Amino acid sequence: GAVVSQHPSWVICKSGTSVKIECRSLDFQATTMFWYRQFPKQSLMLMATSNEGSKATYEQGVEKDKFLINHASLTLSTLTVTSAHPEDSSFYICSANNRYEQYFGPGTRLTVT
Amino acid sequence: DAKTTQPTSMDCAEGRAANLPCNHSTISGNEYVYWYRQIHSQGPQYIIHGLKNNETNEMASLIITEDRKSSTLILPHATLRDTAVYYCIVRGYTGNQFYFGTGTSLTVIP
């Protein structure tokens, strides 16, 4: 089946720095990708919809200036967490549509110290 | 916002069928029911989806009630590797966003 990859799989950064997470659809083109955040023992929370060639659509309560999304090609979307703080530590997961299914990446564990 | 409700947790004996219920009483006529599962610290894995009719694939069966207000995911012969959190999601035909509910934590017991 279709595969979505994420890089890095885990990252540790210092408070105040920015971190970029990549999401790639490996064997299909995705005009739309999605970014989720998941805290321990909680469900996935949709953060934003990433549209190729246009601005991302953010869910209510998600700061667009803090979570910068770029979808420059049909196979790549990036999420940049700017000026990260410890409360941004979480599991970030992306997904991409392929026909009727939404394929999820393996996730990126972000720890901000 | 999530449009589904599921029991928080369930246990199932290995080799037996696991029946996971989901309520989606506000589902619209053109909205699909999707099931995914998530094993600890991994991305969700697609299981099955349906609109009106019951569906079956190599992983599971999906039974949707006639009024479409609820559904049941059936894992016919649960194994230890089926231990995971199972999410029932309602997806619109035109909108592709998935809003996850709390899911059901299934534990398969040896």
Side-chain angles (χ1 to χ4, degrees), chain A residues 37 45 47-48 58-69 79-83 85 87-88:
Chain A
R37 180 168 55 181
M45 184 193 78
M47 300 175 66
Y58 292 82
E59 295 295 308
Q60 190 173 7
V62 178
E63 299 175 59
K64 62 179 182 180
D65 294 330
K66 180 168 185 62
F67 299 99
L68 302 179
I69 293 174
L79 168 69
T80 301
V81 182
T82 64
S83 186
H85 291 284
E87 56 266 30
D88 298 322

Side-chain angles (χ1 to χ4, degrees), chain A residues 60-108:
Chain A
Q60 190 173 7
V62 178
E63 299 175 59
K64 62 179 182 180
D65 294 330
K66 180 168 185 62
F67 299 99
L68 302 179
I69 293 174
N70 183 280
H71 194 154
S73 77
L74 289 173
T75 60
L76 173 64
S77 175
T78 60
L79 168 69
T80 301
V81 182
T82 64
S83 186
H85 291 284
E87 56 266 30
D88 298 322
S89 297
S90 187
F91 193 50
Y92 291 87
I93 305 171
C94 72
S95 69
N97 281 327
N98 185 18
R99 298 181 69 184
Y100 291 107
E101 296 181 26
Q102 191 169 130
Y103 293 94
F104 287 82
T108 296

Side-chain angles (χ1 to χ4, degrees), chain B residues 46-107:
Chain B
Y46 169 80
I47 300 173
I48 199 167
H49 75 278
L51 182 61
K52 296 180 180 179
N53 300 320
N54 298 336
E55 302 288 343
T56 295
N57 62 22
E58 63 278 5
M59 288 184 67
S61 294
L62 173 60
I63 309 298
I64 302 174
T65 58
E66 191 170 345
D67 63 8
R68 303 209 324 122
K69 293 185 177 182
S70 65
S71 61
T72 300
L73 177 73
I74 301 173
L75 306 179
H77 305 287
T79 69
L80 299 180
R81 288 179 297 179
D82 292 323
T83 293
V85 177
Y86 288 77
Y87 294 100
C88 168
I89 304 162
V90 169
R91 171 185 173 179
Y93 182 74
T94 54
N96 294 319
Q97 287 85 354
F98 278 10
Y99 294 98
F100 284 75
T102 55
T104 295
S105 178
L106 174 69
T107 301

